[in-house]
Amino acid sequence: MSSKPDVLLSPSSPASSSSPSDLISNPNSAALNVPKSTPTRTQIPTINLKIAPSLQHLDVSLPEYYATHPETDALIIGACIFLPPLEPISNFPNPNPDASFPASTATSSSPRHMPMLSSSSLSPPPSSSSSSSSSATLSNPPAGNPTPKILLVQRASTETGFPNKWEVPGGSAEVSDGSIFATVARETLEETGLHVTKIVREVGPEGAGERGRKFMIRTKRCVKRTFEVRVREIESLKRSTGTDSTTRSIQQSDVPVILDPLEHQRYAWIDEKHILNPKAYSPQLSFATEEQRQDMLEAFKRHRLGH
């Protein structure tokens, strides 16, 4: 079955300021003698983030995180945003679902300038009966719920690392963020123009009691931790109709995604079947790494199950 690709384009841009060398290092690391300095940022008022109880232990500053994770030199985060976000009513018996999510006291910094996008529609993907080689399985959403889609962004063609590859929004944690969840909020705002209001769950592989992808960039021992989040722009659309996400289908064009063209050139709302089988999408989806694609599939799974 063919599906229309909802991809928006941004103008061409100069070389990105985001690269592996921009990683902020753990000053406690024995492998690195001098921590990289962070750029000066203007502080903005406290972010009223709602944090899932299971994630409260991660609501700490970057120095505090490094102190308890001496094996990590650099922390990178990713943000999974779904449209429409599925929140089973059974998970929130309280009329105010945010009541079960304590607020974070984290602070963040002001975003870079993010120009508006020009839009263009690419050709729809051809019909394909080919099956995915992935071992993951696709299940239907609950009755009455539209098929969820995840927000992906395509790296700029001028990026030194993984140019033109697709990924979820995210980036390196900085000491000035206040906490790693403030990093989630800042990076999401910088890269998509969307305001994170809630950290719902962590996704990705689990090991030693914690999730996260471990990898090396030169001599740096990096960890990427990815979280499913809610954003104000989608939550406001739900509230404006007096309905919840299980009964109101929000259109992709309703969500005002704004890219930073220094880092990303396109964005798209992609359903699970095209993460499973990227060749069925047109143009074919190409991810930065296979591990990132697997994390996207894990995010869909946990999103459906609600845990």
mmCIF file of all heavy atoms in Angstrom, residues 86-121:
data_model
loop_
_atom_site.group_PDB
_atom_site.id
_atom_site.type_symbol
_atom_site.label_atom_id
_atom_site.label_comp_id
_atom_site.label_asym_id
_atom_site.label_seq_id
_atom_site.Cartn_x
_atom_site.Cartn_y
_atom_site.Cartn_z
ATOM 1 N N LEU A 86 -0.253 8.064 22.032
ATOM 2 C CA LEU A 86 -1.225 7.152 22.642
ATOM 3 C C LEU A 86 -1.008 7.109 24.147
ATOM 4 O O LEU A 86 0.075 6.784 24.608
ATOM 5 C CB LEU A 86 -1.076 5.743 22.063
ATOM 6 C CG LEU A 86 -1.290 5.590 20.551
ATOM 7 C CD1 LEU A 86 -1.051 4.146 20.142
ATOM 8 C CD2 LEU A 86 -2.700 6.005 20.184
ATOM 9 N N GLU A 87 -2.029 7.434 24.911
ATOM 10 C CA GLU A 87 -1.950 7.342 26.360
ATOM 11 C C GLU A 87 -3.185 6.607 26.852
ATOM 12 O O GLU A 87 -4.258 7.194 26.973
ATOM 13 C CB GLU A 87 -1.877 8.729 27.006
ATOM 14 C CG GLU A 87 -0.532 9.370 26.905
ATOM 15 C CD GLU A 87 -0.476 10.670 27.695
ATOM 16 O OE1 GLU A 87 -1.445 11.418 27.657
ATOM 17 O OE2 GLU A 87 0.554 10.904 28.352
ATOM 18 N N PRO A 88 -3.085 5.277 27.067
ATOM 19 C CA PRO A 88 -4.240 4.529 27.540
ATOM 20 C C PRO A 88 -4.821 5.162 28.796
ATOM 21 O O PRO A 88 -4.098 5.537 29.711
ATOM 22 C CB PRO A 88 -3.666 3.135 27.829
ATOM 23 C CG PRO A 88 -2.441 3.061 26.973
ATOM 24 C CD PRO A 88 -1.887 4.449 26.926
ATOM 25 N N ILE A 89 -6.146 5.282 28.812
ATOM 26 C CA ILE A 89 -6.806 5.906 29.945
ATOM 27 C C ILE A 89 -6.484 5.170 31.247
ATOM 28 O O ILE A 89 -6.364 5.773 32.304
ATOM 29 C CB ILE A 89 -8.332 5.939 29.723
ATOM 30 C CG1 ILE A 89 -8.660 6.746 28.465
ATOM 31 C CG2 ILE A 89 -9.050 6.531 30.925
ATOM 32 C CD1 ILE A 89 -8.157 8.168 28.497
ATOM 33 N N SER A 90 -6.287 3.853 31.185
ATOM 34 C CA SER A 90 -5.994 3.077 32.394
ATOM 35 C C SER A 90 -4.698 3.508 33.047
ATOM 36 O O SER A 90 -4.484 3.300 34.235
ATOM 37 C CB SER A 90 -5.922 1.580 32.049
ATOM 38 O OG SER A 90 -4.911 1.346 31.080
ATOM 39 N N ASN A 91 -3.795 4.129 32.269
ATOM 40 C CA ASN A 91 -2.524 4.569 32.832
ATOM 41 C C ASN A 91 -2.673 5.843 33.649
ATOM 42 O O ASN A 91 -1.804 6.195 34.424
ATOM 43 C CB ASN A 91 -1.514 4.835 31.711
ATOM 44 C CG ASN A 91 -0.951 3.539 31.152
ATOM 45 O OD1 ASN A 91 -1.393 2.470 31.546
ATOM 46 N ND2 ASN A 91 -0.003 3.644 30.249
ATOM 47 N N PHE A 92 -3.774 6.552 33.429
ATOM 48 C CA PHE A 92 -3.977 7.826 34.101
ATOM 49 C C PHE A 92 -5.391 7.894 34.681
ATOM 50 O O PHE A 92 -6.270 8.563 34.139
ATOM 51 C CB PHE A 92 -3.765 8.994 33.120
ATOM 52 C CG PHE A 92 -2.392 9.027 32.536
ATOM 53 C CD1 PHE A 92 -2.158 8.552 31.269
ATOM 54 C CD2 PHE A 92 -1.324 9.525 33.264
ATOM 55 C CE1 PHE A 92 -0.884 8.579 30.718
ATOM 56 C CE2 PHE A 92 -0.046 9.553 32.729
ATOM 57 C CZ PHE A 92 0.169 9.075 31.457
ATOM 58 N N PRO A 93 -5.648 7.167 35.791
ATOM 59 C CA PRO A 93 -6.995 7.182 36.381
ATOM 60 C C PRO A 93 -7.382 8.554 36.898
ATOM 61 O O PRO A 93 -8.550 8.878 37.002
ATOM 62 C CB PRO A 93 -6.886 6.164 37.514
ATOM 63 C CG PRO A 93 -5.422 6.126 37.844
ATOM 64 C CD PRO A 93 -4.720 6.344 36.534
ATOM 65 N N ASN A 94 -6.390 9.379 37.241
ATOM 66 C CA ASN A 94 -6.668 10.720 37.726
ATOM 67 C C ASN A 94 -7.169 11.576 36.569
ATOM 68 O O ASN A 94 -6.640 11.509 35.469
ATOM 69 C CB ASN A 94 -5.381 11.325 38.305
ATOM 70 C CG ASN A 94 -5.635 12.622 39.048
ATOM 71 O OD1 ASN A 94 -6.196 13.554 38.497
ATOM 72 N ND2 ASN A 94 -5.220 12.665 40.300
ATOM 73 N N PRO A 95 -8.227 12.410 36.761
ATOM 74 C CA PRO A 95 -8.686 13.283 35.682
ATOM 75 C C PRO A 95 -7.585 14.175 35.127
ATOM 76 O O PRO A 95 -7.643 14.587 33.984
ATOM 77 C CB PRO A 95 -9.781 14.121 36.365
ATOM 78 C CG PRO A 95 -10.256 13.276 37.497
ATOM 79 C CD PRO A 95 -9.033 12.532 37.970
ATOM 80 N N ASN A 96 -6.581 14.482 35.954
ATOM 81 C CA ASN A 96 -5.439 15.263 35.490
ATOM 82 C C ASN A 96 -4.258 14.319 35.335
ATOM 83 O O ASN A 96 -3.594 13.990 36.314
ATOM 84 C CB ASN A 96 -5.093 16.365 36.481
ATOM 85 C CG ASN A 96 -3.828 17.121 36.068
ATOM 86 O OD1 ASN A 96 -3.373 17.000 34.941
ATOM 87 N ND2 ASN A 96 -3.283 17.886 36.995
ATOM 88 N N PRO A 97 -3.978 13.843 34.111
ATOM 89 C CA PRO A 97 -2.923 12.830 33.945
ATOM 90 C C PRO A 97 -1.554 13.314 34.377
ATOM 91 O O PRO A 97 -0.707 12.532 34.756
ATOM 92 C CB PRO A 97 -2.956 12.530 32.438
ATOM 93 C CG PRO A 97 -3.613 13.720 31.816
ATOM 94 C CD PRO A 97 -4.591 14.216 32.840
ATOM 95 N N ASP A 98 -1.319 14.634 34.358
ATOM 96 C CA ASP A 98 -0.016 15.144 34.746
ATOM 97 C C ASP A 98 0.226 15.014 36.244
ATOM 98 O O ASP A 98 1.355 15.154 36.710
ATOM 99 C CB ASP A 98 0.122 16.615 34.348
ATOM 100 C CG ASP A 98 0.323 16.770 32.850
ATOM 101 O OD1 ASP A 98 0.638 15.755 32.206
ATOM 102 O OD2 ASP A 98 0.151 17.880 32.343
ATOM 103 N N ALA A 99 -0.824 14.746 37.012
ATOM 104 C CA ALA A 99 -0.674 14.680 38.466
ATOM 105 C C ALA A 99 0.259 13.553 38.882
ATOM 106 O O ALA A 99 0.872 13.610 39.953
ATOM 107 C CB ALA A 99 -2.037 14.498 39.125
ATOM 108 N N SER A 100 0.371 12.508 38.055
ATOM 109 C CA SER A 100 1.248 11.385 38.395
ATOM 110 C C SER A 100 2.676 11.610 37.931
ATOM 111 O O SER A 100 3.525 10.757 38.118
ATOM 112 C CB SER A 100 0.701 10.097 37.761
ATOM 113 O OG SER A 100 0.663 10.211 36.364
ATOM 114 N N PHE A 101 2.955 12.766 37.339
ATOM 115 C CA PHE A 101 4.288 13.090 36.857
ATOM 116 C C PHE A 101 4.825 14.299 37.613
ATOM 117 O O PHE A 101 4.471 15.427 37.293
ATOM 118 C CB PHE A 101 4.253 13.414 35.353
ATOM 119 C CG PHE A 101 4.165 12.211 34.466
ATOM 120 C CD1 PHE A 101 3.026 11.434 34.431
ATOM 121 C CD2 PHE A 101 5.229 11.852 33.653
ATOM 122 C CE1 PHE A 101 2.948 10.334 33.607
ATOM 123 C CE2 PHE A 101 5.154 10.748 32.827
ATOM 124 C CZ PHE A 101 4.012 9.979 32.807
ATOM 125 N N PRO A 102 5.662 14.083 38.636
ATOM 126 C CA PRO A 102 6.203 15.225 39.380
ATOM 127 C C PRO A 102 6.975 16.162 38.464
ATOM 128 O O PRO A 102 7.582 15.744 37.481
ATOM 129 C CB PRO A 102 7.144 14.558 40.401
ATOM 130 C CG PRO A 102 6.673 13.145 40.486
ATOM 131 C CD PRO A 102 6.139 12.800 39.130
ATOM 132 N N ALA A 103 6.949 17.436 38.783
ATOM 133 C CA ALA A 103 7.628 18.436 37.965
ATOM 134 C C ALA A 103 9.118 18.437 38.242
ATOM 135 O O ALA A 103 9.563 18.203 39.357
ATOM 136 C CB ALA A 103 7.053 19.824 38.237
ATOM 137 N N SER A 104 9.894 18.702 37.206
ATOM 138 C CA SER A 104 11.334 18.851 37.342
ATOM 139 C C SER A 104 11.653 20.288 37.693
ATOM 140 O O SER A 104 10.918 21.212 37.361
ATOM 141 C CB SER A 104 12.022 18.483 36.021
ATOM 142 O OG SER A 104 13.377 18.830 36.052
ATOM 143 N N THR A 105 12.764 20.481 38.375
ATOM 144 C CA THR A 105 13.213 21.834 38.708
ATOM 145 C C THR A 105 14.362 22.255 37.807
ATOM 146 O O THR A 105 15.078 23.198 38.096
ATOM 147 C CB THR A 105 13.678 21.897 40.169
ATOM 148 O OG1 THR A 105 14.733 20.945 40.370
ATOM 149 C CG2 THR A 105 12.534 21.573 41.108
ATOM 150 N N ALA A 106 14.542 21.546 36.692
ATOM 151 C CA ALA A 106 15.671 21.807 35.809
ATOM 152 C C ALA A 106 15.523 23.146 35.111
ATOM 153 O O ALA A 106 14.424 23.635 34.887
ATOM 154 C CB ALA A 106 15.774 20.700 34.763
ATOM 155 N N THR A 107 16.660 23.730 34.760
ATOM 156 C CA THR A 107 16.668 24.938 33.939
ATOM 157 C C THR A 107 17.360 24.627 32.636
ATOM 158 O O THR A 107 18.141 23.683 32.535
ATOM 159 C CB THR A 107 17.422 26.088 34.640
ATOM 160 O OG1 THR A 107 18.778 25.676 34.885
ATOM 161 C CG2 THR A 107 16.750 26.445 35.952
ATOM 162 N N SER A 108 17.077 25.408 31.627
ATOM 163 C CA SER A 108 17.713 25.218 30.331
ATOM 164 C C SER A 108 18.117 26.575 29.781
ATOM 165 O O SER A 108 18.029 27.586 30.460
ATOM 166 C CB SER A 108 16.756 24.501 29.371
ATOM 167 O OG SER A 108 17.436 24.170 28.181
ATOM 168 N N SER A 109 18.555 26.570 28.528
ATOM 169 C CA SER A 109 19.090 27.773 27.919
ATOM 170 C C SER A 109 18.316 28.128 26.674
ATOM 171 O O SER A 109 17.599 27.303 26.116
ATOM 172 C CB SER A 109 20.562 27.561 27.572
ATOM 173 O OG SER A 109 21.266 27.087 28.687
ATOM 174 N N SER A 110 18.482 29.342 26.220
ATOM 175 C CA SER A 110 17.728 29.809 25.063
ATOM 176 C C SER A 110 18.197 29.115 23.798
ATOM 177 O O SER A 110 19.374 28.801 23.645
ATOM 178 C CB SER A 110 17.900 31.318 24.914
ATOM 179 O OG SER A 110 19.270 31.643 24.768
ATOM 180 N N PRO A 111 17.280 28.852 22.840
ATOM 181 C CA PRO A 111 17.647 28.154 21.612
ATOM 182 C C PRO A 111 18.341 29.074 20.623
ATOM 183 O O PRO A 111 18.270 30.289 20.729
ATOM 184 C CB PRO A 111 16.288 27.702 21.070
ATOM 185 C CG PRO A 111 15.354 28.777 21.540
ATOM 186 C CD PRO A 111 15.871 29.162 22.912
ATOM 187 N N ARG A 112 19.008 28.466 19.655
ATOM 188 C CA ARG A 112 19.555 29.238 18.556
ATOM 189 C C ARG A 112 18.408 29.727 17.676
ATOM 190 O O ARG A 112 17.287 29.259 17.770
ATOM 191 C CB ARG A 112 20.496 28.366 17.722
ATOM 192 C CG ARG A 112 21.718 27.894 18.481
ATOM 193 C CD ARG A 112 22.660 27.197 17.525
ATOM 194 N NE ARG A 112 22.053 26.012 16.954
ATOM 195 C CZ ARG A 112 22.146 24.823 17.492
ATOM 196 N NH1 ARG A 112 22.795 24.653 18.621
ATOM 197 N NH2 ARG A 112 21.600 23.775 16.929
ATOM 198 N N HIS A 113 18.713 30.667 16.794
ATOM 199 C CA HIS A 113 17.710 31.130 15.848
ATOM 200 C C HIS A 113 17.342 29.993 14.911
ATOM 201 O O HIS A 113 18.205 29.299 14.388
ATOM 202 C CB HIS A 113 18.261 32.305 15.039
ATOM 203 C CG HIS A 113 17.364 32.716 13.910
ATOM 204 N ND1 HIS A 113 16.122 33.267 14.130
ATOM 205 C CD2 HIS A 113 17.528 32.641 12.569
ATOM 206 C CE1 HIS A 113 15.560 33.528 12.961
ATOM 207 N NE2 HIS A 113 16.394 33.159 12.003
ATOM 208 N N MET A 114 16.060 29.779 14.696
ATOM 209 C CA MET A 114 15.597 28.703 13.836
ATOM 210 C C MET A 114 14.688 29.281 12.759
ATOM 211 O O MET A 114 13.544 29.657 13.037
ATOM 212 C CB MET A 114 14.837 27.659 14.658
ATOM 213 C CG MET A 114 15.731 26.937 15.655
ATOM 214 S SD MET A 114 14.823 25.925 16.813
ATOM 215 C CE MET A 114 14.053 27.198 17.809
ATOM 216 N N PRO A 115 15.161 29.423 11.534
ATOM 217 C CA PRO A 115 14.353 30.030 10.477
ATOM 218 C C PRO A 115 13.179 29.152 10.091
ATOM 219 O O PRO A 115 13.189 27.944 10.291
ATOM 220 C CB PRO A 115 15.357 30.168 9.322
ATOM 221 C CG PRO A 115 16.372 29.109 9.577
ATOM 222 C CD PRO A 115 16.477 29.011 11.078
ATOM 223 N N MET A 116 12.168 29.771 9.525
ATOM 224 C CA MET A 116 11.007 29.034 9.046
ATOM 225 C C MET A 116 11.410 28.178 7.845
ATOM 226 O O MET A 116 12.391 28.453 7.159
ATOM 227 C CB MET A 116 9.900 30.011 8.642
ATOM 228 C CG MET A 116 9.310 30.789 9.805
ATOM 229 S SD MET A 116 8.470 29.725 10.989
ATOM 230 C CE MET A 116 7.082 29.185 9.986
ATOM 231 N N LEU A 117 10.624 27.142 7.595
ATOM 232 C CA LEU A 117 10.913 26.220 6.502
ATOM 233 C C LEU A 117 10.090 26.541 5.276
ATOM 234 O O LEU A 117 8.980 27.038 5.372
ATOM 235 C CB LEU A 117 10.560 24.783 6.927
ATOM 236 C CG LEU A 117 11.235 24.247 8.172
ATOM 237 C CD1 LEU A 117 10.714 22.866 8.460
ATOM 238 C CD2 LEU A 117 12.722 24.203 7.958
ATOM 239 N N SER A 118 10.631 26.222 4.125
ATOM 240 C CA SER A 118 9.808 26.138 2.937
ATOM 241 C C SER A 118 9.375 24.690 2.822
ATOM 242 O O SER A 118 10.055 23.788 3.314
ATOM 243 C CB SER A 118 10.609 26.544 1.698
ATOM 244 O OG SER A 118 11.723 25.698 1.523
ATOM 245 N N SER A 119 8.234 24.425 2.232
ATOM 246 C CA SER A 119 7.725 23.055 2.182
ATOM 247 C C SER A 119 7.683 22.548 0.750
ATOM 248 O O SER A 119 7.528 23.293 -0.204
ATOM 249 C CB SER A 119 6.327 22.972 2.796
ATOM 250 O OG SER A 119 5.424 23.749 2.061
ATOM 251 N N SER A 120 7.820 21.257 0.632
ATOM 252 C CA SER A 120 7.766 20.615 -0.675
ATOM 253 C C SER A 120 7.326 19.190 -0.473
ATOM 254 O O SER A 120 7.644 18.567 0.528
ATOM 255 C CB SER A 120 9.141 20.650 -1.351
ATOM 256 O OG SER A 120 9.131 19.904 -2.546
ATOM 257 N N SER A 121 6.579 18.671 -1.403
ATOM 258 C CA SER A 121 6.106 17.295 -1.296
ATOM 259 C C SER A 121 6.897 16.431 -2.252
ATOM 260 O O SER A 121 6.997 16.740 -3.442
ATOM 261 C CB SER A 121 4.617 17.219 -1.631
ATOM 262 O OG SER A 121 4.160 15.898 -1.539
#
